[in-house]
Amino acid sequence: MTESKVTKSLHHSVIRSMGGRYLNYIFQVLSLVIYSRLFPPEIFGIVASIQVFYVFFQLLSEAGIGPALINENNLSIEQRDGIFSFTILLGCVLSIVFYSATPLLVSFYNDSEISLAVPYVAFSILFFCASILPLASMQKDRQFIRIGVCDVLSEMVTLILVLIFFAYSIFSPLICLSIKGLLTASFRFLSYYISSKDTFFGRAKVGKEIHQIKIIYHFAIYQFLFNFVNYFSRNLDNILVGRYLGMSSLGIYDRSYQLMRYPLMLLTFAMTPAIQPVIQGSKDLSVIESVHRAFSRQLAIIGSFLGLGIFICSKEIVDIILGDSWSDVASIIKILALSIPVQVVLSTSGSFFQGMGKAKVLFKTGLYSMGIMVTMIFIGIVQKNLVSLSMLIVLAFYINFYINYYIMYKECFSKSSIKYLTIHTVIFLLFLSICILSYITGFESKVYINNYVSILIKGVLITALFSPLLINVVKGKMISDDRKE
């Protein structure tokens, strides 16, 4: 496959993926606005403390199976059904294990209320596991719009039910927020399963040949190991904040991180499902490297634009989305926004590793990233200050970026990474310089007339500042420039 065909295929796939994901993200933001006004930081903190461990069990249950299935081109009906049965059985076992760990979670956080929420979170693992194969089937066929519709319908039904439970006091506020995950996971499974009928793998059924999981074992094991170490890199901060700084601090930190993640969700999280199926179709590493370089450069510019917007408009964003009771979030999200450009680029690297069949190298980068991130988190927790912790996490992301791409270029592309890293360093330094300048001048802290007008004024100025670069990104000029090199 030529570079132009790979680029065109990637762009089309990304557009479909982003369209599907945006449907869901828009609804998630609207839901967050509602939930943040119904439930206080303490309730969010309790649920977030459980969610950290829920994510770990999601990791154990997924075990790299999804990406491995996307890379699989020859799968018989018996093999498909055997793998599907394996995921259901695994989900049952992990749900029971998670529920059995309730006393340990209560003891760890020293909060008895956690026991009320655990059952609802625990059994959502079963539905998550059962969704793995139907979801991978649609992702392999690039049915991203359909996936987005399934997600939105699931979120919508869940929101309606939670509001009914809350309004009529059917459950306590803690249970209402806890049951959200179980409802969403169950409705997603149902919609994915129904929609997977007309896919490459077809709609799976319960089969007897559970041992068929072995056919994707080699790829899946390194993907799982990467996810395992990446989990501690991305979630240890939540665990330790809840344990040593309290549930209220965890609620504030979790909401800050969640708001910061929305630009990542709008860009890379929406794009990454589309990358692996396209890259897998090309065996020419020089073509993949060229497409990757242009693609990530565009992401760095868009990420800088969005990161600056979050940094400058942090107070207004918090007031509008979360409300007055979450004012402490503004100072945290302002710092975390400094990592958005580097995270936007870094978050897509895994899909390129997967598409090139380099799951073992991906695992290696994950080990280095975990070591650096865990070190920074421990230093931040010792200081018992959310601001210091946030600054150290931002630093860790930048260090991990350089290590990650040095390894990618050395072990995957077999060429020097100096040019790639130099270009991105210039973009990052420009972004950080503008943020520092806006802080020194006090521009980022000013609110003009009201929150909405202030965001409009600041947004226009930021857009004008970035417009030459954004126009080039939209026109795809950077890709054409790369071809001339």
Side-chain angles (χ1 to χ4, degrees):
M1 192 182 293
T2 64
E3 180 180 341
S4 60
K5 289 183 179 179
V6 173
T7 300
K8 185 176 181 180
S9 179
L10 180 60
H11 281 180
H12 287 171
S13 187
V14 163
I15 289 172
R16 288 197 297 271
S17 178
M18 292 178 69
R21 289 296 182 103
Y22 280 9
L23 291 174
N24 188 35
Y25 294 157
I26 291 171
F27 194 82
Q28 282 185 351
V29 171
L30 295 176
S31 299
L32 179 62
V33 172
I34 297 172
Y35 290 137
S36 297
R37 283 159 173 77
L38 294 179
F39 307 107
E42 291 76 13
I43 297 294
F44 270 101
I46 293 172
V47 176
S49 68
I50 304 172
Q51 286 293 125
V52 172
F53 292 96
Y54 169 70
V55 171
F56 178 69
F57 275 75
Q58 276 188 320
L59 181 155
L60 293 177
S61 58
E62 205 276 340
I65 296 173
L69 286 169
I70 295 173
N71 261 29
E72 187 61 47
N73 293 318
N74 298 300
L75 198 68
S76 68
I77 293 176
E78 292 76 16
Q79 291 170 333
R80 177 202 66 189
D81 293 346
I83 294 172
F84 181 60
S85 299
F86 176 84
T87 60
I88 294 175
L89 180 61
L90 182 62
C92 291
V93 172
L94 291 177
S95 293
I96 294 171
V97 172
F98 191 97
Y99 178 74
S100 301
T102 301
L104 296 177
L105 294 174
V106 171
S107 176
F108 181 78
Y109 287 111
N110 194 27
D111 192 329
S112 59
E113 286 191 291
I114 286 178
S115 63
L116 301 175
V118 169
Y120 304 98
V121 178
F123 289 100
S124 62
I125 296 173
L126 170 60
F127 294 102
F128 173 81
C129 288
S131 301
I132 293 172
L133 195 147
L135 176 59
S137 299
M138 289 192 286
Q139 288 177 331
K140 185 174 182 65
D141 286 11
R142 307 178 197 177
Q143 296 183 2
F144 302 114
I145 298 296
R146 182 178 293 184
I147 293 171
V149 171
C150 291
D151 290 341
V152 169
L153 289 176
S154 301
E155 293 279 353
M156 187 180 299
V157 174
T158 297
L159 175 62
I160 293 172
L161 290 176
V162 170
L163 290 178
I164 291 174
F165 295 154
F166 183 86
Y168 291 95
S169 300
I170 298 175
F171 297 116
S172 67
L174 176 58
I175 301 303
C176 288
L177 191 59
S178 302
I179 206 172
K180 171 181 173 292
L182 176 58
L183 293 172
T184 303
S186 57
F187 289 126
R188 271 184 181 160
F189 163 68
L190 183 62
S191 57
Y192 289 164
Y193 186 75
I194 293 172
S195 301
S196 66
K197 181 179 179 181
D198 300 320
T199 60
F200 180 81
F201 294 134
R203 185 183 295 166
K205 298 178 181 179
V206 175
K208 297 179 180 179
E209 301 182 17
I210 298 176
H211 66 276
Q212 296 292 350
I213 191 70
K214 66 183 181 181
I215 67 173
I216 59 174
Y217 171 80
H218 182 73
F219 184 97
I221 187 62
Y222 284 110
Q223 179 66 43
F224 166 72
L225 290 173
F226 168 76
N227 290 343
F228 184 83
V229 299
N230 193 51
Y231 166 83
F232 289 101
S233 298
R234 297 301 182 96
N235 294 282
L236 184 63
D237 49 351
N238 275 17
I239 295 174
L240 296 181
V241 168
R243 176 67 176 83
Y244 295 104
L245 302 185
M247 293 301 173
S248 181
S249 293
L250 176 57
I252 292 170
Y253 181 76
D254 182 67
R255 291 301 93 185
S256 302
Y257 207 92
Q258 185 68 30
L259 283 178
M260 181 275 296
R261 281 166 56 90
Y262 275 115
L264 302 179
M265 293 167 68
L266 293 173
L267 286 173
T268 55
F269 293 179
M271 293 178 180
T272 47
I275 296 173
Q276 185 188 352
V278 174
I279 297 302
Q280 183 205 5
S282 176
K283 304 301 180 183
D284 190 333
L285 289 179
S286 63
V287 170
I288 295 175
E289 189 279 329
S290 181
V291 171
H292 164 266
R293 177 158 37 94
F295 183 65
S296 62
R297 197 188 314 178
Q298 293 177 2
L299 286 179
I301 292 173
I302 298 173
S304 297
F305 169 71
L306 294 175
L308 182 61
I310 299 292
F311 181 86
I312 290 178
C313 302
S314 59
K315 186 179 185 305
E316 294 92 333
I317 291 172
V318 170
D319 286 346
I320 291 173
I321 296 180
L322 300 182
D324 296 337
S325 61
W326 295 84
S327 58
D328 292 340
V329 167
S331 60
I332 306 300
I333 192 177
K334 189 189 302 290
I335 297 170
L336 294 175
L338 298 176
S339 69
I340 289 177
V342 73
Q343 283 204 70
V344 164
V345 179
L346 197 55
S347 295
T348 61
S349 63
S351 294
F352 280 94
F353 280 119
Q354 292 165 353
M356 292 185 287
K358 300 290 186 179
K360 188 174 182 179
V361 181
L362 177 61
F363 169 58
K364 181 178 179 179
T365 63
L367 286 176
Y368 287 116
S369 297
M370 180 183 70
I372 293 168
M373 185 63 75
V374 168
T375 300
M376 295 299 181
I377 290 172
F378 272 115
I379 295 173
I381 291 295
V382 168
Q383 297 183 37
K384 294 187 176 182
N385 185 297
L386 289 180
V387 172
S388 299
L389 173 64
S390 302
M391 293 176 68
L392 288 165
I393 287 175
V394 170
L395 177 61
F397 277 121
Y398 278 94
I399 295 173
N400 286 338
F401 170 83
Y402 288 95
I403 293 176
N404 189 292
Y405 284 100
Y406 171 79
I407 293 175
M408 176 185 282
Y409 270 79
K410 181 181 179 180
E411 300 196 19
C412 295
F413 298 133
S414 299
K415 63 185 298 184
S416 172
S417 59
I418 293 177
K419 181 177 181 180
Y420 177 89
L421 294 178
T422 300
I423 292 171
H424 285 78
T425 298
V426 172
I427 296 173
F428 296 150
L429 288 177
L430 177 62
F431 162 73
L432 293 173
S433 298
I434 297 174
C435 289
I436 293 172
L437 182 62
S438 68
Y439 179 79
I440 293 175
T441 59
F443 176 70
E444 47 82 29
S445 62
K446 292 181 180 178
V447 176
Y448 300 91
I449 303 177
N450 60 49
N451 290 323
Y452 297 96
V453 174
S454 185
I455 286 182
L456 178 62
I457 293 174
K458 292 179 179 180
V460 169
L461 293 175
I462 295 171
T463 303
L465 180 65
F466 273 82
S467 57
L469 294 174
L470 293 175
I471 289 173
N472 286 337
V473 169
V474 172
K475 290 182 177 180
K477 183 176 179 180
M478 291 183 181
I479 292 181
S480 60
D481 285 346
D482 280 349
R483 292 183 187 140
K484 295 175 184 178
E485 291 175 357

